[in-house]
Amino acid sequence: FSASVALSPPFASPPSAVSSAAASPEGARATPATRRTPGQAPRFKPVSLPGPDDDELRNKAAELCCDPAVARPDPAMLPSTFTLQLLGFLDDGTHPSDTTPAWLRSPDDQEPVELDASAAAELLEELRSTGGPRVAVHSALGRDATGASAARQDCYSVTHSLGDVAVYVVCDGFGPFGAVAAFRVAQCLPKLLLDALQLDETTEAPEQIVTASMSSVSADLIQFAALKGMDLRGSGT
């Protein structure tokens, strides 16, 4: 997978040094880099898929998106210490652009709370007013290789912890199971990062913790895919 990760103070590096890393499950093809110079033609995500028939993979992905055990946040993926988490929805293709809801999770709530898009935007603005970075979420329907509308395959999470520490994650999915993979990583990565940062005995720099967490998230995604019957050879995030 590949993901962009930002750590807020006091652990943050300067904006020019925001950490990122990439890894691919065995047999998978990583998503191409999206950063390009002005005038350079865009590079698209992979569209040719090995293994089972494409329709079979898409049907399996649609089935997973409707499975509450997959589409709802995983309680096991909460950091041991946190104050708030805003998590993007696993998109099933039914929400028009910029109307995708989000999940709000807190230590006081046993179950995640569903927020509509406007409420999620208000929460992000409230976090900015209390000292957080200024961020916004724009969500548009995806396009397949033919140009037809397709479900979004992206996900994000904003997780605040004690000591003015926060983790902002953006995941860009690709392939039939890209949406599921992005949703999983957006939950798993903050947990691993924050749990590691909270260890009193840790002497590792934040950049080292990010790198180690990326490897652990990749292993979790492979295990999760095997459990759910997901063929990741042409999918990931």
Side-chain angles (χ1 to χ4, degrees), residues 59-149:
N59 290 338
K60 176 64 176 179
E63 176 185 321
L64 289 174
C65 288
C66 295
D67 181 356
V70 176
R72 291 180 63 84
D74 185 348
M77 290 292 103
L78 282 174
S80 57
T81 303
F82 79 110
T83 58
L84 174 150
Q85 184 180 76
L86 186 66
L87 172 67
F89 248 57
L90 174 57
D91 185 39
D92 59 3
T94 61
H95 297 94
S97 296
D98 280 335
T99 64
T100 304
W103 296 106
L104 174 63
R105 311 169 85 183
S106 71
D108 298 329
D109 295 320
Q110 295 295 325
E111 294 293 330
V113 177
E114 182 177 338
L115 301 180
D116 61 26
S118 60
E122 290 175 4
L123 178 58
L124 288 173
E125 182 62 25
E126 180 180 339
L127 292 174
R128 185 192 71 82
S129 67
T130 57
R134 185 169 188 175
V135 297
V137 175
H138 172 73
S139 178
L141 287 174
R143 300 283 180 181
D144 63 19
T146 67
S149 295

